[in-house]
C-alpha cells in the first residue's frame, strides 16, 4: 500500500512512473485485487474478523510452523525454475473412446444443455456418457462398479476428459455432485504413468483442502481407488502427531492430501519436497484462495514446477477469486454445471425463518422435537462461535438430545471420534462451526439448521450442501435475524435460483435495507474489503425493490409451469416441497407455532 502522505513529491513521481510502466490492464487489476486483499488482511485482527474467515474452527492453523517471521513457510526459498533443465513428464493420457470421438455434435450439445454444462476455454473434449467411455484402467473401473455407481455425474462426465488431457482446469458443480472422484481418478492415471518414486522423492500428486476432516475424507477416497494399483498416500494435517505422518513421507507416497499449515511445516523441515509434484489439486479452491489461506497456498505452489497440471474445484466461484486463481493456472478450461450464478443444490428444501436473536433457542428446541420424531433425522446445526457451539450442545444434551459438537478448539482426537459417531449415526445431531461447512460427505444427513446465518452466501450454499447429497433430498432451516438484513438480498437470489418459496418477511427485510444505508452493502466477504460495496453477492438493482414490495404479503412461485399464490406459513404447514411432492416437510407444528 502506498502512503502518499509519508513520501516526498519526487518519490510520488517515481511511484507514478512505475505505475505507468505497468501498462497491462490485467496485471493492474490483479495488483489491485492483491492490494485490496492485503489491506483487508491487515485489518482483520479482531476476533470477529477471524471468525468471518472460518477462524471459528475452519482454519487449520499450525502453531509449531510459526517461525521467526511469524508466517508458516516464511523460511522456504522459492526455487528458480528453469523449464529447459527440468525432467520432462507426461500429463496428457487421454485417448478418446471411439464412441465419444464419433458422437454426433448435436447429441453432445444436447447432453451439455440438459445437464446445464457451461464451458470456457479452447478445444474442450466431448463428455463421456458412461464409465467405460472414460478410458480408465480396469482396476479403477472395478472399484467404480464395487461402489455401485451407475453412471458418471455431470462434472465427472465432462471433467474427466479434460483432466486426463493434462489441462489446467476449474470445475464448479453443486455440493454432493462427485467432484472428489473427478480429480482423484485422473490423479491415479497420472501417477501410474510417471516413473517410480526414488528415495527422498516427494509426492507426484498433491491435494490441498481447508480442513482436517475433509483432508481425511479425501484420503479415504484415495485409498479406495488407489490401493488396487499400489498407490500410497498420506494425509498431513495439524493437531495430530507428526511422527506417523513423517514416517509415511519417509517411506514414499505418491499422493499427499494436506491442509496447508502442516504441509508447510514438513516442507520447511525438509521432511518432504514438491520437486516430483506434477498434479496439483485445490479442493474447495475459493476457500483455499481466500484471505485466510492464500499466502500459504502461494508459498506451497512456489515449490511446484510451473509446468504442472493444476485443477481447482468448488461448488462456488465468486468472481473475486477468478483473477487470483488465474495466477496459478495456464490456458485453463472451466466447467460449470448448473447456474453460473451462486446456486445451491436443488435437492434441498430451503426454509428461512425470520426471527429475533432471543427467539432462536426456543425455535431450535421446537424444531429438534419435530426432527427427532422422524426415522431419518441426522442433523447438522451450524453456529457461529466455538463458545456458543459448546453452550448450545450442553443445553441440547441436558434436554436429552443425542448431540455432539465439533470446532477448532477441540483436540483432534475428539474431533475424530465426534465425526465418527456422527457418521455411524450413534450421535445423530452434530453442532458445528464452519469447520464442518465444506466438503464433508456424511451419508444420510437429512437436515441442516443454520442457527446463525453465515458470514456470506457462499458459506450458506456449502453449509446447506451437507444434505441432499448423491441426488438425495434434504431440508435446510435458517434462522435469519434483522442483524443479517444486509445479506438478505444475496440469500433471496440463491432461493430464487432454486425455485424456493421466499418468506415475505425476508423480502421485507431486504426491502428495508434496499433504500437505506444497507443498499449495496451485502454481508462481509472474505474476498473483498469490508464495508466496500456489494458484499457477498452482486450489486442489486431497482427491480428487486418492486419485487419485494409487490410480494410483501404473499408470494408467487412457479412449479411445474404453474404459478401459485398462497401464504408462506400455509405452504409449509401443508407440507408442500418445491423438490417433489414428498410429504415430508418436518416442523409442521413448528411452523404453525411460529405464527
Ligand atoms: N458417479 C457417481 N454416482 C453416484 N454417486 C457418486 C458418484 N460419484 C461420486 N459419488 C458419491 O457422491 C457423494 C458426494 O461426492 P463428493 O463428496 O465428491 O461431492 P462434492 O461434489 O465434492 O461435494 P462438496 O461440494 O460438498 O464437496 C460421495 O458419497 C460419492 O461417493
Ligand atoms: Mg468435495
Amino acid at each position: 500500500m502506498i502512503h502518499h502522505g509519508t513520501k516526498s513529491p519526487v518519490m510520488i513521481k517515481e511511484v507514478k512512473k512505475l505505475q505507468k510502466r505497468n501498462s497491462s490492464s490485467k496485471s493492474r487489476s490483479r495488483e489491485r485485487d492483491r492490494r485490496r486483499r492485503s489491506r483487508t488482511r491487515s485489518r482483520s485482527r479482531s476476533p470477529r474478523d477471524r471468525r468471518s474467515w472460518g477462524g471459528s474452527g475452519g482454519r487449520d492453523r499450525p502453531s509449531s510452523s510459526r517461525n521467526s517471521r511469524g508466517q508458516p513457510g516464511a523460511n522456504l526459498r522459492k526455487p528458480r525454475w528453469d523449464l529447459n533443465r527440468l525432467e520432462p513428464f507426461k500429463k496428457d493420457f487421454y485417448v478418446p473412446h471411439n464412441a465419444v470421438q464419433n458422437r454426433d455434435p448435436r447429441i453432445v450439445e444436447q447432453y451439455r444443455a440438459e445437464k446445464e454444462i457451461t464451458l470456457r476455454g479452447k478445444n474442450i473434449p466431448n463428455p463421456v456418457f458412461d464409465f467405460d467411455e472414460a478410458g480408465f484402467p480396469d482396476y479403477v473401473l472395478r472399484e467404480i462398479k464395487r461402489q455401485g455407481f451407475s453412471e458418471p455425474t455431470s462434472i465427472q462426465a465432462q471433467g474427466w476428459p479434460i483432466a486426463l488431457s493434462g489441462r489446467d482446469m476449474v470445475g464448479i458443480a453443486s455440493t454432493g455432485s462427485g467432484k472428489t472422484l473427478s480429480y482423484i481418478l485422473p490423479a491415479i492415471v497420472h501417477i501410474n504413468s510417471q516413473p517410480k518414486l526414488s528415495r527422498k522423492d516427494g509426492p507426484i500428486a498433491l491435494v490441498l483442502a481447508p480442513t482436517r476432516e475433509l483432508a481425511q475424507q479425501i484420503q479415504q477416497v484415495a485409498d479406495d481407488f488407489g490401493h488396487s494399483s499400489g498407490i500410497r498416500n498420506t494425509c498431513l494435517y495439524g493437531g495430530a502427531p507428526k511422527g506417523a505422518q513423517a514416517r509415511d513421507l519417509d517411506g514414499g507416497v505418491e499422493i499427499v492430501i494436506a491442509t496447508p499449515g502442516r504441509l508447510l511445516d514438513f516442507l520447511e523441515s525438509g521432511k518432504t519436497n514438491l520437486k516430483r509434484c506434477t498434479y496439483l489439486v485445490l479442493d474447495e479452491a475459493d476457500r483455499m484462495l481466500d484471505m485466510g489461506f492464500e499466502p500459504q497456498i502461494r508459498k506451497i505452489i512456489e515449490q511446484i514446477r510451473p509446468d504442472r497440471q493444476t485443477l481447482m474445484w468448488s461448488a462456488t466461484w465468486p468472481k473475486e477469486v477468478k483473477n487470483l486463481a488465474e495466477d496459478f493456472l495456464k490456458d485453463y478450461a472451466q466447467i460449470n454445471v448448473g447456474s453460473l450464478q451462486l446456486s445451491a443444490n436443488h435437492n434441498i428444501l430451503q426454509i428461512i425463518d425470520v426471527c429475533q436473536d432471543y427467539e432462536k433457542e426456543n425455535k431450535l428446541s421446537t424444531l429438534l422435537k419435530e426432527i427427532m420424531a422422524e426415522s431419518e433425522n441426522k442433523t447438522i446445526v451450524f453456529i457461529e462461535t466455538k463458545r456458543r457451539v459448546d453452550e448450545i450442545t450442553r443445553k441440547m444434551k441436558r434436554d436429552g438430545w443425542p448431540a455432539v459438537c465439533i470446532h477448532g478448539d477441540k483436540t483432534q482426537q475428539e474431533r475424530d471420534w465426534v465425526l465418527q459417531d456422527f457418521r455411524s449415526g450413534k450421535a445423530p445431531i452434530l453442532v458445528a462451526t464452519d469447520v464442518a461447512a465444506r466438503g464433508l460427505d456424511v451419508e444420510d444427513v437429512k437436515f441442516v439448521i443454520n442457527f446463525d446465518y453465515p458470514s456470506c452466501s457462499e458459506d450458506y450454499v456449502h453449509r446447506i450442501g451437507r444434505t441432499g447429497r448423491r441426488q438425495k433430498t434434504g431440508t435446510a432451516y435458517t434462522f435469519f435475524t434483522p442483524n443479517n438484513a444486509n445479506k438478505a438480498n444475496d440469500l433471496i437470489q440463491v432461493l430464487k435460483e432454486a425455485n424456493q418459496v421466499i418468506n415475505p418477511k425476508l423480502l421485507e427485510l431486504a426491502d428495508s435495507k434496499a433504500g437505506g444505508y444497507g443498499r449495496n452493502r451485502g454481508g462481509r466477504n472474505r474476498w473483498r474489503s469490508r464495508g466496500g460495496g456489494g458484499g457477498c453477492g452482486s450489486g442489486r438493482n431497482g427491480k428487486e425493490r418492486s419485487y419485494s414490495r409487490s410480494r410483501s404479503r404473499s408470494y408467487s412461485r412457479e412449479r411445474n409451469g404453474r404459478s401459485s399464490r398462497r401464504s408462506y406459513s400455509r405452504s409449509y404447514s401443508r407440507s408442500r416441497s418445491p423438490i417433489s411432492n414428498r410429504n415430508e416437510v418436518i416442523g409442521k407444528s413448528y411452523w404453525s407455532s411460529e405464527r
Side-chain angles (χ1 to χ4, degrees):
M1 206 167 132
I2 300 162
H3 297 283
H4 288 270
T6 61
K7 291 194 165 48
S8 69
V10 179
M11 281 175 79
I12 293 171
K13 230 174 175 180
E14 279 307 308
V15 170
K16 281 192 176 151
K17 241 197 245 164
L18 272 171
Q19 282 172 339
K20 217 170 184 181
R21 243 181 267 159
N22 186 8
S23 57
S24 141
S25 68
K26 195 173 170 189
S27 66
R28 261 206 315 268
S29 83
R30 278 191 195 161
E31 188 52 33
R32 254 200 315 273
D33 273 357
R34 221 169 283 146
R35 265 193 243 139
R36 198 170 46 205
R37 278 194 311 276
S38 75
R39 261 204 309 272
T40 319
R41 258 200 305 276
S42 61
R43 281 192 209 138
S44 300
R45 289 288 175 262
S46 74
R48 186 168 169 71
D49 286 329
R50 257 178 267 132
R51 284 205 299 272
S52 77
W53 27 272
S56 55
R59 194 155 172 243
D60 196 30
R61 206 189 307 226
S63 51
S64 53
S65 67
R66 308 229 156 229
N67 44 45
S68 49
R69 285 158 67 190
Q71 284 301 319
N75 293 332
L76 276 174
R77 285 238 188 97
K78 181 179 175 179
R80 269 201 212 142
W81 296 110
D82 179 354
L83 286 177
N84 296 323
R85 293 175 61 191
L86 282 172
E87 191 76 31
F89 73 99
K90 187 171 173 205
K91 57 181 174 181
D92 178 2
F93 312 99
Y94 188 52
V95 184
H97 192 283
N98 273 346
V100 179
Q101 185 92 311
N102 300 328
R103 192 157 279 139
D104 185 334
R106 282 169 305 184
I107 294 178
V108 170
E109 273 324 297
Q110 191 188 342
Y111 177 87
R112 287 177 175 152
E114 265 170 26
K115 305 281 183 185
E116 290 188 84
I117 296 175
T118 311
L119 300 165
R120 176 190 180 283
K122 285 173 267 166
N123 303 324
I124 295 183
N126 286 348
V128 298
F129 285 3
D130 58 45
F131 293 118
D132 291 327
E133 287 184 1
F136 289 123
D138 287 344
Y139 53 84
V140 168
L141 288 176
R142 268 197 300 276
E143 188 54 37
I144 292 174
K145 299 235 160 73
R146 208 180 66 77
Q147 301 264 346
F149 300 159
S150 55
E151 56 174 13
T153 63
S154 312
I155 186 74
Q156 292 165 352
Q158 183 62 80
W160 283 331
I162 302 175
L164 288 166
S165 310
R167 291 278 293 274
D168 282 2
M169 66 174 292
V170 173
I172 308 301
S174 132
T175 52
S177 62
K179 294 186 285 295
T180 318
L181 278 187
S182 305
Y183 60 77
I184 286 289
L185 300 190
I188 289 170
V189 174
H190 182 106
I191 290 164
N192 282 330
S193 311
Q194 309 302 324
K196 284 207 171 343
L197 291 182
S198 306
R199 227 175 81 76
K200 302 242 176 224
D201 273 351
I204 295 168
L206 172 65
V207 180
L208 293 171
T211 65
R212 302 163 184 181
E213 287 72 21
L214 178 55
Q216 287 171 293
Q217 181 183 292
I218 297 166
Q219 183 186 27
Q220 185 59 54
V221 179
D223 273 345
D224 290 347
F225 287 85
H227 81 274
S228 55
S229 54
I231 291 180
R232 296 159 299 173
N233 68 60
T234 192
C235 187
L236 310 178
Y237 56 94
K242 286 185 191 159
Q245 298 175 2
R247 275 193 295 281
D248 286 348
L249 291 171
D250 275 346
V253 283
E254 284 80 13
I255 306 183
V256 162
I257 302 121
T259 56
R262 180 56 66 89
L263 175 63
L264 281 168
D265 232 355
F266 278 122
L267 289 170
E268 276 191 316
S269 63
K271 275 276 169 217
T272 191
N273 64 75
L274 297 173
K275 289 181 193 140
R276 282 288 310 269
C277 179
T278 45
Y279 189 94
L280 168 70
V281 175
L282 300 192
D283 198 8
E284 305 296 342
D286 53 336
R287 173 75 180 99
M288 302 305 285
L289 294 172
D290 82 16
M291 60 189 184
F293 277 117
E294 185 236 326
Q296 299 180 37
I297 296 299
R298 210 168 265 286
K299 278 271 161 210
I300 292 168
I301 296 185
E302 277 173 10
Q303 301 295 313
I304 309 176
R305 51 191 288 169
D307 54 351
R308 65 180 180 260
Q309 183 180 3
T310 307
L311 306 95
M312 302 193 181
W313 306 85
S314 184
T316 52
W317 199 239
K319 56 181 181 302
E320 294 83 359
V321 169
K322 186 175 158 278
N323 272 353
L324 180 56
E326 283 177 356
D327 282 358
F328 307 115
L329 296 162
K330 288 203 180 81
D331 181 31
Y332 69 102
Q334 178 163 337
I335 317 174
N336 281 73
V337 180
S339 165
L340 291 175
Q341 71 188 74
L342 178 66
S343 54
N345 180 335
H346 286 195
N347 293 327
I348 305 165
L349 172 66
Q350 303 176 55
I351 299 175
I352 311 297
D353 184 355
V354 177
C355 60
Q356 299 295 328
D357 270 310
Y358 67 86
E359 296 176 294
K360 285 181 180 179
E361 286 193 32
N362 277 343
K363 280 177 179 285
L364 178 65
S365 168
T366 316
L367 192 48
L368 279 180
K369 273 181 212 142
E370 298 271 340
I371 288 175
M372 295 316 282
E374 295 295 309
S375 54
E376 285 189 281
N377 53 20
K378 224 181 241 189
T379 303
I380 305 185
V381 182
F382 283 104
I383 295 181
E384 189 182 359
T385 67
K386 295 177 257 194
R387 190 178 56 77
R388 286 286 279 162
V389 164
D390 284 335
E391 195 182 313
I392 300 281
T393 313
R394 243 191 333 267
K395 287 184 180 169
M396 280 184 187
K397 281 184 176 162
R398 198 188 53 203
D399 289 348
W401 299 121
V404 286
C405 69
I406 190 168
H407 59 64
D409 279 354
K410 300 265 171 210
T411 63
Q412 192 52 42
Q413 222 178 0
E414 196 174 347
R415 282 165 69 156
D416 288 347
W417 68 247
V418 158
L419 197 56
Q420 207 178 326
D421 282 0
F422 183 62
R423 280 191 194 278
S424 71
K426 193 171 154 200
I429 304 174
L430 177 69
V431 187
T433 56
D434 272 326
V435 75
R438 285 200 180 232
L440 282 194
D441 183 55
V442 176
E443 223 187 321
D444 291 336
V445 173
K446 286 306 270 184
F447 302 95
V448 168
I449 302 174
N450 286 307
F451 184 86
D452 296 318
Y453 193 75
S455 54
C456 70
S457 41
E458 280 83 8
D459 288 352
Y460 171 80
V461 166
H462 288 279
R463 280 181 178 188
I464 70 169
R466 295 318 98 212
T467 183
R469 304 180 70 78
R470 283 187 181 213
Q471 292 302 314
K472 289 189 178 148
T473 55
T475 306
Y477 295 94
T478 298
F479 299 154
F480 197 93
T481 68
N483 284 338
N484 308 127
N486 59 353
K487 294 159 195 156
N489 272 324
D490 287 339
L491 176 57
I492 289 169
Q493 297 307 309
V494 173
L495 295 168
K496 276 201 222 165
E497 195 285 328
N499 292 323
Q500 300 291 301
V501 177
I502 299 176
N503 186 337
K505 287 188 190 167
L506 182 65
L507 294 168
E508 271 168 27
L509 267 188
D511 198 29
S512 69
K513 279 282 159 184
Y517 174 77
R519 184 160 173 75
N520 286 333
R521 285 174 184 262
R524 268 175 294 126
N525 180 317
R526 54 169 64 104
W527 302 278
R528 243 184 254 180
S529 59
R530 276 191 299 138
C536 273
S538 53
R540 305 284 160 241
N541 56 32
K543 268 189 219 156
E544 211 83 82
R545 252 202 292 176
S546 58
Y547 177 87
S548 52
R549 282 220 182 103
S550 68
R551 292 168 192 220
S552 59
R553 303 218 178 275
S554 58
Y555 68 92
S556 138
R557 196 180 115 243
E558 297 272 336
R559 191 173 47 176
N560 302 332
R562 276 177 295 126
S563 171
S564 58
R565 231 177 157 80
R566 53 190 122 87
S567 92
Y568 183 68
S569 53
R570 262 180 56 206
S571 74
Y572 285 117
S573 56
R574 285 186 183 177
S575 306
R576 274 180 292 234
S577 146
I579 296 166
S580 64
N581 284 333
R582 71 201 163 104
N583 187 27
E584 62 163 72
V585 174
I586 309 306
K588 288 165 213 155
S589 64
Y590 167 78
W591 285 105
S592 41
S593 72
E594 197 218 349
R595 315 196 139 74

